[in-house]
Amino acid sequence: IFRGQLDASRQEIANFTVGDFSPAQFRIPNILKEGIKSALEAGQTNYPPAIGIPEIRAAVRELYKRELGLDYPEGCIQVGSGARPPIFSAFACLVSPGETVLYQVPSWNIHYYVHISQARGVPLTAKAENGFMLTAEDLLPHLPDARMLVINTPQNPSGTVISETALRNICEAIVAENKTRAETGKPPLMLMYDQVYWQLTYGDSQHYHPVGLVPEMAPYTLYVDAVSKCWAATGIRMGWAAVPPWVRDKMKAY
């Protein structure tokens, strides 16, 4: 009823209740628009390589090196039609049926990927006093049985960011868990770090990421990202994953 009253008032309304944008209110940046036009005029309309054209992969590598201090080898940036294909590929390549996936609640649709991969999902409720983000204390009882942990920050749907301390503590717990596993030959616990909204942090909010805080996390972290949110480009289907070298060939083949 309230939305109907607003619509009837003929005021301009920006709907922030869904992860999409009205192009009449939020246009893609001109540099992106002109780049798309130039590519079309140059005949860039063929099937791209499965992991994206080299120019895009190189541009993402440079972005991450410049802005996040992450220097990935060739082939470790893998592009997909949005963030969803890299997410699904990571599940398919790393999580076997029956293995455990930990994820925060509230969260974005991770239970669908758990279901499709026939994994065992363990949703963990994040508390409001922690900004709807998980802490190491929330996770510690579950880490020994888990194959993957999924963290999304800035988070959909809460809009909150994980703190430096909380993320550092979680990463240190993962490193400790994986040191124990290395002694027994058990596959490592992997962290899928969904940072699609990282360029939309303002004011006192700051984006932190695993390898930046705990460099030992590099072999265990998969970053997921896309142009959809930060550049108001939800219909321009281009996302990517940044993966450790030992995962690169598995995901590329998949």
Side-chain angles (χ1 to χ4, degrees), residues 193-209:
Y193 201 69
D194 178 350
Q195 57 177 17
V196 167
Y197 293 87
W198 71 275
Q199 296 182 62
L200 295 176
T201 49
Y202 302 98
D204 294 333
S205 296
Q206 185 169 342
H207 178 69
Y208 300 98
H209 66 91

Side-chain angles (χ1 to χ4, degrees), residues 29-45:
N30 283 333
I31 192 171
L32 178 56
K33 180 177 69 175
E34 294 304 319
I36 292 170
K37 289 168 61 177
S38 296
L40 290 174
E41 289 171 357
Q44 294 281 3
T45 54

Side-chain angles (χ1 to χ4, degrees), residues 36-166:
I36 292 170
K37 289 168 61 177
S38 296
L40 290 174
E41 289 171 357
Q44 294 281 3
T45 54
N46 289 105
Y47 287 126
I51 60 170
I53 63 174
E55 293 86 348
I56 289 180
R57 290 186 276 118
V60 174
R61 286 177 65 197
E62 177 56 32
L63 173 70
Y64 273 24
K65 185 176 182 180
R66 183 179 71 245
E67 300 293 337
L68 299 176
L70 295 168
D71 191 4
Y72 277 93
E74 172 61 33
C76 288
I77 303 296
Q78 302 193 359
V79 174
S81 54
R84 289 180 174 93
I87 292 173
F88 176 70
S89 296
F91 268 82
C93 292
L94 295 173
V95 181
S96 297
E99 289 188 315
T100 297
V101 176
L102 310 176
Y103 60 96
Q104 62 202 35
V105 175
S107 69
W108 169 87
N109 291 346
I110 292 302
H111 59 292
Y112 294 141
Y113 296 89
V114 171
H115 174 74
I116 292 171
S117 62
Q118 301 179 59
R120 172 180 171 265
V122 178
L124 300 173
T125 301
K127 301 178 180 65
E129 56 264 33
N130 296 324
F132 298 104
M133 292 290 176
L134 295 175
T135 66
E137 289 72 22
D138 297 325
L139 292 166
L140 283 172
H142 307 278
L143 292 185
D145 297 325
R147 179 66 167 110
M148 181 182 287
L149 165 64
V150 181
I151 292 178
N152 169 216
T153 181
Q155 194 204 79
N156 178 355
S158 69
T160 52
V161 297
I162 195 167
S163 71
E164 179 181 8
T165 299

